[in-house]
Amino acid sequence: MNALPYQAMIEQMTDSVIYADSEGIIRTWNHASEKMFGFSAAEAIGQSLDIIIPEKLRAPHWKGFHAAISTGATRSGGQATRTKALHKTGKYIYAEVSFCIITDPANSKRGALSVARPAHKNQTGV
Protein backbone atom coordinates (compact mmCIF):
# COMPACT_ATOMS: atom_id res chain seq x y z
CA MET A 1 0.00 0.00 0.00
CA ASN A 2 1.31 3.45 -0.89
CA ALA A 3 1.69 6.13 1.75
CA LEU A 4 -1.12 8.65 1.79
CA PRO A 5 -0.29 12.10 0.41
CA TYR A 6 -1.00 13.96 3.69
CA GLN A 7 0.49 17.27 2.58
CA ALA A 8 -1.54 17.20 -0.65
CA MET A 9 -4.70 16.43 1.35
CA ILE A 10 -4.10 19.35 3.71
CA GLU A 11 -3.31 21.76 0.87
CA GLN A 12 -6.40 20.81 -1.10
CA MET A 13 -8.87 21.12 1.78
CA THR A 14 -11.30 23.99 1.42
CA ASP A 15 -11.16 24.67 5.18
CA SER A 16 -8.24 26.35 6.88
CA VAL A 17 -5.87 23.82 8.47
CA ILE A 18 -3.30 25.11 10.96
CA TYR A 19 -0.94 23.06 13.10
CA ALA A 20 0.92 24.79 15.93
CA ASP A 21 3.56 23.19 18.12
CA SER A 22 3.35 23.10 21.92
CA GLU A 23 4.63 26.68 22.12
CA GLY A 24 1.95 27.98 19.75
CA ILE A 25 4.28 28.43 16.80
CA ILE A 26 2.64 27.80 13.44
CA ARG A 27 4.18 24.81 11.63
CA THR A 28 1.49 24.05 9.01
CA TRP A 29 -0.61 26.63 7.15
CA ASN A 30 -2.58 25.54 4.10
CA HIS A 31 -3.84 27.45 1.07
CA ALA A 32 -7.30 27.92 2.62
CA SER A 33 -5.61 29.54 5.64
CA GLU A 34 -3.93 31.99 3.25
CA LYS A 35 -7.30 32.90 1.75
CA MET A 36 -9.08 33.15 5.10
CA PHE A 37 -6.49 35.09 7.12
CA GLY A 38 -4.56 36.92 4.39
CA PHE A 39 -1.09 35.71 5.40
CA SER A 40 0.90 33.57 2.98
CA ALA A 41 2.38 30.33 4.29
CA ALA A 42 5.82 31.98 4.15
CA GLU A 43 4.55 34.81 6.37
CA ALA A 44 2.70 32.57 8.86
CA ILE A 45 4.92 29.52 9.34
CA GLY A 46 7.30 30.13 12.21
CA GLN A 47 5.10 32.85 13.73
CA SER A 48 3.03 32.75 16.90
CA LEU A 49 -0.69 32.09 16.64
CA ASP A 50 -1.01 35.66 17.92
CA ILE A 51 -0.98 36.83 14.29
CA ILE A 52 -4.61 35.64 14.01
CA ILE A 53 -5.80 36.07 17.59
CA PRO A 54 -7.31 39.47 18.48
CA GLU A 55 -5.38 41.08 21.33
CA LYS A 56 -8.32 41.08 23.75
CA LEU A 57 -8.76 37.32 23.23
CA ARG A 58 -5.11 36.34 23.63
CA ALA A 59 -5.03 35.81 27.41
CA PRO A 60 -7.99 33.39 27.45
CA HIS A 61 -6.74 31.71 24.28
CA TRP A 62 -3.30 31.00 25.74
CA LYS A 63 -4.76 29.82 29.04
CA GLY A 64 -6.91 27.27 27.17
CA PHE A 65 -4.14 26.39 24.72
CA HIS A 66 -1.58 25.59 27.44
CA ALA A 67 -4.16 23.64 29.47
CA ALA A 68 -5.02 21.56 26.40
CA ILE A 69 -1.36 20.91 25.59
CA SER A 70 -0.75 19.91 29.20
CA THR A 71 -3.72 17.55 29.50
CA GLY A 72 -3.92 16.37 25.90
CA ALA A 73 -7.60 17.32 25.64
CA THR A 74 -9.53 20.41 24.62
CA ARG A 75 -12.29 21.92 26.72
CA SER A 76 -14.70 21.73 23.78
CA GLY A 77 -13.97 18.06 23.12
CA GLY A 78 -13.39 18.82 19.45
CA GLN A 79 -16.73 20.55 18.94
CA ALA A 80 -16.57 23.56 16.65
CA THR A 81 -16.87 26.96 18.30
CA ARG A 82 -17.45 30.37 16.78
CA THR A 83 -14.98 33.11 17.52
CA LYS A 84 -13.35 36.27 16.25
CA ALA A 85 -10.05 36.03 14.47
CA LEU A 86 -7.71 38.59 13.02
CA HIS A 87 -7.08 39.07 9.29
CA LYS A 88 -3.74 40.38 8.00
CA THR A 89 -5.47 43.71 7.26
CA GLY A 90 -6.19 44.11 10.99
CA LYS A 91 -9.92 43.57 10.51
CA TYR A 92 -11.85 41.03 12.52
CA ILE A 93 -13.23 37.99 10.81
CA TYR A 94 -15.61 35.47 12.29
CA ALA A 95 -14.66 31.83 12.18
CA GLU A 96 -16.09 28.48 13.16
CA VAL A 97 -13.11 26.56 14.52
CA SER A 98 -12.54 23.05 15.83
CA PHE A 99 -9.37 22.04 17.66
CA CYS A 100 -7.70 18.83 18.65
CA ILE A 101 -4.45 17.95 20.35
CA ILE A 102 -2.01 15.88 18.31
CA THR A 103 0.53 13.72 20.14
CA ASP A 104 3.55 12.37 18.29
CA PRO A 105 3.76 8.67 19.26
CA ALA A 106 7.53 8.66 18.69
CA ASN A 107 8.34 11.26 21.34
CA SER A 108 5.03 12.19 23.04
CA LYS A 109 5.40 15.85 22.00
CA ARG A 110 2.07 17.62 21.59
CA GLY A 111 0.74 20.29 19.31
CA ALA A 112 -2.64 21.66 18.31
CA LEU A 113 -4.46 21.21 15.03
CA SER A 114 -7.28 23.54 14.07
CA VAL A 115 -9.71 23.46 11.19
CA ALA A 116 -11.62 26.66 10.49
CA ARG A 117 -14.11 28.12 8.07
CA PRO A 118 -15.63 31.57 7.82
CA ALA A 119 -18.74 32.20 9.88
CA HIS A 120 -21.09 35.16 9.56
CA LYS A 121 -21.10 37.71 12.37
CA ASN A 122 -24.82 37.29 13.00
CA GLN A 123 -24.27 33.55 13.55
CA THR A 124 -21.45 33.86 16.05
CA GLY A 125 -22.82 35.85 18.91
CA VAL A 126 -19.23 37.08 19.40
Side-chain angles (χ1 to χ4, degrees):
M1 183 170 147
N2 292 339
L4 294 173
Y6 293 111
Q7 190 62 37
M9 286 187 249
I10 290 169
E11 280 305 319
Q12 293 175 42
M13 283 191 63
T14 57
D15 289 340
S16 165
V17 177
I18 302 170
Y19 174 77
D21 65 20
S22 62
E23 299 303 314
I25 303 300
I26 298 166
R27 301 298 177 193
T28 299
W29 183 269
N30 72 346
H31 182 68
S33 300
E34 292 180 350
K35 288 174 58 177
M36 185 168 174
F37 297 104
F39 294 96
S40 69
E43 292 172 306
I45 293 173
Q47 298 298 313
S48 168
L49 288 168
D50 282 345
I51 67 170
I52 60 170
I53 301 169
E55 191 170 341
K56 71 179 186 175
L57 299 178
R58 288 180 187 164
H61 168 269
W62 289 114
K63 181 179 178 183
F65 181 90
H66 293 300
I69 291 293
S70 176
T71 64
T74 63
R75 184 181 68 194
S76 65
Q79 294 294 314
T81 58
R82 292 181 180 108
T83 190
K84 281 184 183 178
L86 197 57
H87 189 272
K88 181 180 178 178
T89 62
K91 293 184 178 183
Y92 292 126
I93 60 173
Y94 296 86
E96 186 172 305
V97 185
S98 60
F99 301 92
C100 67
I101 300 301
I102 305 294
T103 303
D104 184 340
N107 57 23
S108 298
K109 288 188 178 181
R110 292 183 176 153
L113 182 71
S114 69
V115 176
R117 64 179 49 155
H120 297 288
K121 182 178 181 180
N122 62 356
Q123 294 175 326
T124 66
V126 177

